[in-house]
Amino acid sequence: MSLEPFVMSLPRVLPAWVSQVSMYLEELDDATANAIALPSAYLMATPERQRAYRVGRVCASRALEQIGVRGAMPAVHENGGPAWPNGTVGSITHAMSLVAAAVAARRQCCGLGIDIEPITSLEKAHSLASRGATTGEVFGVMENLQVDYATAVALILAAKHSLYKCLHPQVGRSFSYLDASIENVQGSTARFRARLKVMLSPAWVGGTIVTGQFDIAGDFVHTGIAIPC
Ligand SMILES: CC(C)(COP(=O)(O)OP(=O)(O)OC[C@H]1O[C@@H](n2cnc3c(N)ncnc32)[C@H](O)[C@@H]1OP(=O)(O)O)[C@@H](O)C(=O)NCCC(=O)NCCS
């Protein structure tokens, strides 16, 4: 199976030691896409979701190649996330036509999470914020970055999804949007802090802070969290 070409590059929101590969959904030829078997959970999904799964796997495979793991493609873990090959950690995201995967060696990285969120209409942002962000979080981001409401909500959700993808495989349990808060979002460093508000595991207690990176590019917010070992 050919995994070429890869011509797109999304903003980097991860340290240089993390391998990241991005593609547009349309970029993958049908023959290559159709050669990737769909897990049963995706057989009834829309064609767009099936393609997103497949392009995410191709990005993941290419990112694995870049750290020396050849011919591997993550299956689906029982937690719904990718089942990364032994010795690796990674994360996949897709938003509209953008798809990205990031991978690192487990000896270097204990957890990895990336996310892309579209900046929505104000009405949709209000609806998303009612489930996923507090007023304090939203106004904190608006003030710090001088961005509008919808951009602030997209950033907070992307940061929380990155945190979830990073920590869920480690803690082995679900946690909700209000179990962490996004704070200290700084434009000068393009970094944010995610603070746990509950204990997720003995190693991940309430009050723990992890740092992530963000980029606002066009109509999308990109976030990444990489926890070095
Ligand atoms: C799972 C979730 C984080 C995915 O984020 P999203 O922005 O909706 O969607 P994205 O396209 O960016 O990411 C989808 C990818 O996430 C990955 N993913 C799904 N479940 C995962 C898990 N438990 N652990 C790690 N990665 C996971 C998968 O790779 C999936 O793509 P794939 O099915 O094609 O492989 C989100 O849908 C969700 O359920 N959130 C609720 C829980 C939460 O975020 N809590 C916040 C805590 S502060």
Side-chain angles (χ1 to χ4, degrees):
M1 175 173 59
S2 166
L3 297 179
E4 301 294 339
F6 291 91
V7 297
M8 203 218 345
S9 169
L10 291 178
R12 272 203 73 95
V13 284
L14 291 163
W17 45 268
V18 176
S19 157
Q20 181 180 325
V21 171
S22 338
M23 286 180 86
Y24 289 110
L25 270 191
E26 313 78 45
E27 207 178 317
L28 187 66
D29 66 89
D30 287 343
T32 306
N34 293 336
I36 298 168
L38 286 172
S40 55
Y42 294 87
L43 291 176
M44 301 299 286
T46 63
E48 291 75 23
R49 181 64 181 93
Q50 291 180 344
R51 179 161 269 267
Y53 172 86
R54 285 167 155 149
V55 177
R57 258 45 191 188
V58 170
C59 290
S61 190
R62 177 69 175 180
L64 285 164
E65 271 183 25
Q66 290 182 355
I67 63 163
V69 181
R70 303 199 176 280
M73 188 169 282
V76 180
H77 192 277
E78 62 188 23
N79 68 17
W84 296 99
N86 285 343
T88 67
V89 291
S91 181
I92 295 172
T93 183
H94 20 73
M96 298 185 173
S97 65
L98 306 182
V99 185
V103 170
R106 188 173 282 281
R107 67 175 186 283
Q108 274 186 302
C109 184
C110 294
L112 196 52
I114 55 168
D115 199 72
I116 307 170
E117 289 297 322
I119 300 169
T120 65
S121 66
L122 183 58
E123 187 185 4
K124 179 133 194 243
H126 274 297
S127 162
L128 292 169
S130 69
R131 288 187 291 121
T134 65
T135 307
E137 285 177 307
V138 178
F139 286 113
V141 175
M142 290 174 71
E143 192 175 315
N144 280 12
L145 299 185
Q146 295 293 300
V147 294
D148 62 18
Y149 184 91
T151 303
V153 171
L155 193 153
I156 292 162
L157 292 186
K160 289 186 174 182
H161 289 162
S162 297
L163 183 71
Y164 188 83
K165 292 175 189 178
C166 178
L167 292 190
H168 188 228
Q170 296 182 61
V171 301
R173 56 159 282 197
S174 259
F175 54 108
S176 80
Y177 289 108
L178 301 185
D179 289 339
S181 60
I182 303 305
E183 42 193 64
N184 202 23
V185 180
Q186 295 295 339
S188 56
T189 58
R191 288 177 193 274
F192 63 87
R193 286 184 185 170
R195 180 192 297 270
L196 293 185
K197 292 160 79 177
V198 296
M199 176 170 163
L200 298 177
S201 75
W204 291 98
V205 297
T208 305
I209 291 174
V210 299
T211 302
Q213 291 175 244
F214 70 90
D215 196 310
I216 302 170
D219 294 333
F220 295 90
V221 179
H222 305 253
T223 55
I225 296 175
I227 300 177
C229 287

